[in-house]
Amino acid sequence: VVDAFHDLCSHIYSHENHYSVVLIILIQTFPSLLNMCILFLLFFSFLISAPSVSHVQMWNNSRTHVVFHWERLSDHHIMEVEPPTGVIEMNECCDLELALTGGEPGSHSLRLDCRIEHHDEPVTLVVQAAFKGPRVCINIPSLDLGLLRLGDHAKSTVHITNTSHLAASWALQEVPDRRQELSREVSQISVEPCRGLLPPLGGCNVDVVFRPSVCQRFHTILELAVDRGCGCHLSVQANVQLPQVCLLSCELVFSELYVGVPARGTVRLFNQTLLPASFCWGEVSTPPLAAPHSRPARRQEHVHSARLSV
């Protein structure tokens, strides 16, 4: 029976229904003088910090009346029975209220003892409970900041939403990889605000700012952590470049030139990135002067150079 309840607990906890109760009667036999058929094994699935009340019955199948006293559980979870004490006549039952408040999310097995007068062993109520914490999600699964020029920064806004009926304390931060931990690099990603408190079913906008330090194909993961609840992850990527321009040909040859006659040639520039590039040509360097004793040749070859700045 207990194994079956563990399976049922896992099944219901994996779904989104907030409240469900399954009641199963357990039979516990006492000495013939005090024979009681009492306990319910209950399963709850509901939100933490939200009190839940269930009605249970306690039967006296013995040959005399019994006096009972229920203990109170207050370690992490709160579980108590009202009324905690009373008298049950022979072959009668008593209607009780079981109040349960979850303190930690997850599936838990709780035990609450009931002391019976003139009986050494307590009667134990076993409760299988699955508690759900607040759930916060991000409106997008990934964030692509696109192409950036080194020295610029990018900012994008995401929206986070509390989908539960509980207030949620959240924090959004980068998950550092092993290389960052060893090199102690400063994170290039910042989140504003990086933490806060969301009311039930509330939401807020969060700015993700990326300030690149080097040219790179950037990728990182942001983790949305929720206190005693369920969060998610956000993938962030960007491409950081600097403009890079080259000449398709590094030489321009004029085969025939005449003194006093201007000539025109064409060179082709190629932008090797997807970024717009501004360029300018530097001053032409002065060619070396001929020696004074040399005779001017009828035909001379000159080499000039220019510098291209991007």
Side-chain angles (χ1 to χ4, degrees):
V1 174
V2 174
D3 292 339
F5 262 96
H6 279 292
D7 295 339
L8 181 60
C9 179
S10 301
H11 173 73
I12 298 183
Y13 184 68
S14 63
H15 291 74
E16 293 299 327
N17 54 319
H18 289 162
Y19 299 95
S20 60
V21 178
V22 178
L23 302 181
I24 294 182
I25 298 178
L26 294 184
I27 307 297
Q28 185 165 349
T29 303
F30 293 89
S32 59
L33 181 63
L34 183 63
N35 186 13
M36 297 186 63
C37 169
I38 43 171
L39 294 189
F40 291 95
L41 180 62
L42 300 98
F43 176 89
F44 293 90
S45 176
F46 55 91
L47 299 175
I48 63 172
S49 304
S52 176
V53 177
S54 248
H55 296 280
V56 297
Q57 285 185 331
M58 189 172 181
W59 287 84
N60 177 13
N61 288 340
S62 65
R63 300 175 183 177
T64 181
H65 71 275
V66 295
V67 178
F68 66 89
H69 174 74
W70 285 95
E71 296 180 353
R72 185 177 186 271
L73 178 66
S74 58
D75 183 17
H76 299 294
H77 311 284
I78 299 176
M79 185 165 62
E80 54 189 350
V81 173
E82 288 292 339
T85 60
V87 178
I88 306 177
E89 298 297 333
M90 180 180 61
N91 293 326
E92 295 291 338
C93 70
C94 177
D95 292 322
L96 306 173
E97 287 187 348
L98 173 65
L100 179 60
T101 303
E104 297 292 336
S107 179
H108 300 274
S109 178
L110 309 177
R111 303 173 68 88
L112 191 64
D113 290 336
C114 177
R115 300 291 175 178
I116 306 297
E117 191 178 65
H118 306 305
H119 196 270
D120 296 333
E121 296 296 328
V123 174
T124 301
L125 174 64
V126 180
V127 177
Q128 294 285 344
F131 303 111
K132 292 177 179 288
R135 183 181 181 87
V136 180
C137 61
I138 305 176
N139 62 327
I140 53 176
S142 62
L143 178 61
D144 190 352
L145 298 174
L147 181 63
L148 286 138
R149 182 194 299 264
L150 183 62
D152 294 343
H153 73 277
K155 182 173 76 170
S156 185
T157 301
V158 298
H159 187 78
I160 63 174
T161 305
N162 181 7
T163 60
S164 67
H165 293 269
L166 295 172
S169 177
W170 62 273
L172 182 62
Q173 60 185 358
E174 184 179 9
V175 179
D177 57 25
R178 183 63 178 171
R179 181 181 58 83
Q180 287 177 323
E181 292 177 351
L182 293 176
S183 61
R184 300 182 182 274
E185 293 181 359
V186 178
S187 176
Q188 302 174 86
I189 283 283
S190 61
V191 180
E192 304 170 0
C194 62
R195 62 185 66 249
L197 181 66
L198 286 177
L201 303 179
C204 71
N205 290 328
V206 174
D207 292 331
V208 179
V209 182
F210 175 51
R211 295 181 175 87
S213 57
V214 294
C215 292
Q216 61 190 302
R217 288 189 177 273
F218 178 80
H219 180 262
T220 190
I221 300 294
L222 297 182
E223 180 183 21
L224 178 61
V226 181
D227 184 27
R228 298 193 305 168
C230 181
C232 59
H233 293 82
L234 176 67
S235 173
V236 182
Q237 59 185 7
N239 189 4
V240 185
Q241 296 181 2
L242 276 176
Q244 186 172 342
V245 177
C246 70
L247 289 166
L248 294 182
S249 177
C250 295
E251 292 183 345
L252 179 61
V253 179
F254 292 92
S255 58
E256 295 289 338
L257 290 176
Y258 299 93
V259 176
V261 179
R264 176 178 296 179
T266 301
V267 295
R268 190 175 295 273
L269 302 177
F270 178 66
N271 184 358
Q272 295 176 303
T273 68
L274 297 177
L275 293 169
S278 301
F279 67 94
C280 64
W281 290 97
E283 294 184 0
V284 178
S285 61
T286 304
L289 296 176
H293 61 273
S294 65
R295 296 178 58 187
R298 180 173 298 179
R299 179 174 179 175
Q300 296 181 347
E301 292 184 357
H302 296 274
V303 179
H304 298 269
S305 62
R307 181 177 297 277
L308 177 65
S309 300
V310 178

